[in-house]
Amino acid sequence: MRVRLWAALASALTAALGLIVLLGLLLTPDVADDEGALSADIIRQFNDLADLLLQLATITIALTIFIGILNLVAVHLGRLRRRANGLIYSVVLLVSFGVVVVSYVVDREASIIILDTVQFSVESALAGLLFFALVYGAYRALHHAVTWGRVLFVAVIVLILLAALPVDNADALHPVRDWLLDVPVSAGVRGLLLGIALGTVVTGVRVLIGVDRSYRE
Amino acid sequence: MTMEDVGLIVGFILTLMVFSYLLGDNVLYRLAVYVFVGLVAGYVSIVTVESVLIPWFDATLNADEPLRVGFGLLPLVFGLLLLFKSSQRLGFVGNVGIAFLIGIGAAVAIAGALTGTLIPITAETATIETGAELEGLLIFFGVAASLIYFQYIARTDAEGKPRRVLPVRLMSVVGEAVIVVTLGAVYAAAIITSLTIFSERIGFLLGGL
């Protein structure tokens, strides 16, 4: 019974807060009808309330991120204490974490240079490695079974890559590439975005009206 | 040796360590990734505390009004409630904290999808510019076909098998082709981007040598 009461409270909280924030975000003063129920004052109150709730949610999320990072540090300290396998990785992680925090307290400029250097180097090197994974993936697409979809997929990749070559003979491919990007790719991207948006709205409404309660499990 | 010089040497070593992955998963690659994770975790925690948490608690907990102090404590209360989720016996208490975030998150997602994607893209697709009527119609048809491709409503035939009507099947094939072309173009763009970054890194390594 006690558990059900908490579950009902959670559902009510989700629906109430969600509806307030939704109205606060969607209603703007230009839809105000001062003779009806939706006066400009009421809309402004909804906007203010939505702002406040969004601020509370942002701070709560920031707090959970901070707790998550503390947990990461605690897990690696625990591995260090237990002398678990892969100890060196935990040591490296904790040292780099400590270097950033300490250098930020002592000298902010140095901390930013350290972060920029490591972040830029590792991120760009990882993005460079992606090239090999992508090319291998395209090769694998045709390696197992040849279907019309896979042939079309690889043909589009080859065409766009050839058109990107900085040689004179590639000019003939430019109109085809431009048409592909302007018409079918534009349509496909819009279709995918609309599909994602429709899915988001349906899932959001299901959560707000209490049909989807998987977050309570 | 200046801080910039040290940065260049560290960048050189880290780039080599990451590229060692081309020879297979190895200790050097993993060390580079752990260095990266540690640094990013440190930086994110600094930014979170300094730019988000301290200003909030400074503005609320130091205020004279009890109501403002109460508001300031609310994120702490929700944060504490979320910690209960890790307990098997008291996990239901944590649902209140989750419900708070899910309710607001769902509302933001709905508002964002409606005002940021659904309404503008639908309006743009329904508008055909003068002089580009054919392209406009093809885009409209392509969008409709790609949306139809993702619907799975079908009638059962005499044998009890689900079967879609012919126009829907045809549109679905066109939609599949449009999506395949789109994903192919996105894939090619990703290859070009990663190749550009890779060549820049190789240039950096050769310059360092």
Side-chain angles (χ1 to χ4, degrees), chain A residues 6 10 14 17-18 54 62 64 66 92 96-97 100 104 108 117-118 120-121 124 127 131 134 138 149 188 190 207 216-217, chain B residues 7 11 35 38-39 42 46 48-50 71 82 85 92 95-96 99-100 102-103 107-108 124-125 180 182 187 194 197 201:
Chain A
W6 279 96
T14 305
L17 293 179
L54 283 172
T64 56
F66 186 62
V92 164
S96 56
F97 179 86
V100 169
Y104 193 81
R108 284 188 185 196
T117 306
V118 175
F120 182 76
S121 304
S124 54
F131 166 70
L134 290 171
R190 289 179 198 195
V207 167
R216 283 182 358 199
E217 285 161 8
Chain B
V35 167
L39 279 171
I46 288 167
T48 309
V49 171
E50 199 183 37
F71 267 124
L82 287 173
K85 282 298 277 183
F92 62 89
N95 286 337
V96 177
F100 168 72
I102 291 282
V108 171
E124 200 181 330
T125 307
V180 166
T182 306
Y187 202 93
S194 58
I197 296 169
R201 281 289 91 187

Side-chain angles (χ1 to χ4, degrees), chain A residues 91-110:
Chain A
V91 172
V92 164
L93 187 141
L94 291 170
V95 167
S96 56
F97 179 86
V99 164
V100 169
V101 175
V102 171
S103 66
Y104 193 81
V105 175
V106 177
D107 179 6
R108 284 188 185 196
E109 286 293 314

Side-chain angles (χ1 to χ4, degrees), chain B residues 25-129:
Chain B
D25 193 8
N26 63 73
V27 179
L28 290 175
Y29 169 75
R30 286 193 208 164
L31 282 176
V33 172
Y34 273 82
V35 167
F36 178 62
V37 172
L39 279 171
V40 172
Y43 192 68
V44 169
S45 59
I46 288 167
V47 171
T48 309
V49 171
E50 199 183 37
S51 307
V52 184
L53 296 179
I54 290 178
W56 170 264
F57 291 123
D58 204 32
T60 53
L61 299 187
N62 288 339
D64 293 333
E65 306 159 49
L67 191 67
R68 193 176 266 260
V69 175
F71 267 124
L73 288 173
L74 270 179
L76 282 177
V77 173
F78 287 122
L80 279 174
L81 285 173
L82 287 173
L83 288 178
F84 279 100
K85 282 298 277 183
S86 57
S87 159
Q88 283 206 332
R89 208 163 56 86
L90 294 170
F92 62 89
V93 180
N95 286 337
V96 177
I98 293 279
F100 168 72
L101 290 179
I102 291 282
I104 294 174
V108 171
I110 293 172
L114 280 174
T115 57
T117 309
L118 270 177
I119 295 171
I121 290 184
T122 309
E124 200 181 330
T125 307
T127 312
I128 294 176
E129 287 176 22

